[in-house]
Amino acid sequence: MSAKVNAALPLEYQTEQNRMNILGFWVFLGAEIVLFATLFGVYGVLGERYAGGPTQKDIFIVKDVMIQTFLLLTSSFTMGISIFEMRRSNIKGMLMWLVFTLLLGGGFLFMEIREFIHYVHEGATMQTSAFLSSFFVLLGTHGLHVTIGIGWAILLIIQILQRGLTPVTARKAFIFGLYWHFLDVVWIFIFTFVYLQGLVM
């Protein structure tokens, strides 16, 4: 059954196996939603327990957070263009936009690491308060997912260069795109409920 190809569908959906794999990844993303919902819930409970330590207004740097947001949301746009080029069978264009996505994700990760170093220098560590513990766990989990995504993108680029654009490599690229867009959606919630809400409290 998986050998049958339906050329009327987009490349990543042309085989039954691909369609099942994509469906399975949507289920995986459902589990990821539960994970992050739990972390947001913990932060919602502990986010005002400072134990005499710094608050959000004491440590958050608006300019850096805005740059991080711009980098990650722009990477979602470039990822979308990469999938668009994939569906046009333009491997060169697909890889070019995928590399842009990788660079933007790397820039975001660099900014986040620098942000964490700044917090530590300000005396804001996981041991300082319940607020900072929940904050570092939430953002650290998201940052770990971005790191995994960057490694995944590198491997994907290597595989496409070696094997070309096939239903299998197209499916892998499409699934990666779903994963990357998911991380961007999570960041929007982090930006809204952690940073913006923390600065106006």
Side-chain angles (χ1 to χ4, degrees):
M1 182 179 294
S2 62
K4 293 182 179 179
V5 175
N6 185 349
L9 296 173
L11 189 59
E12 69 273 16
Y13 281 104
Q14 287 185 1
T15 69
E16 180 68 19
Q17 183 64 52
N18 278 8
R19 292 193 289 273
M20 293 301 293
N21 286 352
I22 292 171
L23 176 61
F25 194 77
W26 277 110
V27 174
F28 167 77
L29 287 182
E32 290 284 280
I33 290 172
V34 173
L35 168 64
F36 279 102
T38 302
L39 296 178
F40 275 108
V42 171
Y43 180 82
V45 173
L46 303 179
E48 295 182 28
R49 300 187 181 182
Y50 307 116
T55 68
Q56 290 91 336
K57 290 181 180 179
D58 294 328
I59 60 174
F60 288 171
I61 302 176
V62 178
K63 181 188 72 173
D64 289 354
V65 175
M66 294 301 294
I67 293 173
Q68 286 176 265
T69 302
F70 173 78
L71 289 172
L72 202 57
L73 295 187
T74 303
S75 76
S76 189
F77 176 72
T78 58
M79 186 67 235
I81 298 178
S82 179
I83 297 300
F84 173 76
E85 293 296 342
M86 178 188 79
R87 289 180 170 173
R88 294 176 59 217
S89 300
N90 180 4
I91 297 179
K92 183 178 179 180
M94 174 193 179
L95 291 177
M96 179 184 72
W97 288 104
L98 193 53
V99 169
F100 285 154
T101 302
L102 179 63
L103 293 174
L104 289 165
F108 168 85
L109 199 60
F110 171 79
M111 291 291 296
E112 186 163 71
I113 292 171
R114 195 175 74 167
E115 175 190 7
F116 283 5
I117 292 172
H118 162 73
Y119 293 156
V120 171
H121 283 305
E122 293 293 317
T125 67
M126 287 189 70
Q127 293 79 24
T128 304
S129 65
F131 150 60
L132 287 166
S133 294
S134 59
F135 172 80
F136 278 115
V137 170
L138 173 57
L139 267 74
T141 301
H142 179 265
L144 175 62
H145 279 68
V146 173
T147 304
I148 292 171
I150 290 173
W152 186 353
I154 292 171
L155 293 175
L156 183 61
I157 290 170
I158 292 171
Q159 192 169 82
I160 293 171
L161 287 172
Q162 291 177 341
R163 303 182 184 179
L165 192 56
T166 68
V168 173
T169 55
R171 178 246 299 165
K172 291 179 179 180
F174 182 76
I175 287 176
F176 172 74
L178 293 178
Y179 177 83
W180 198 258
H181 291 313
F182 169 75
L183 295 183
D184 293 335
V185 171
V186 172
W187 180 257
I188 291 173
F189 280 95
I190 290 175
F191 177 73
T192 303
F193 294 111
V194 175
Y195 289 105
L196 288 186
Q197 184 173 304
L199 289 170
V200 300
M201 285 174 60

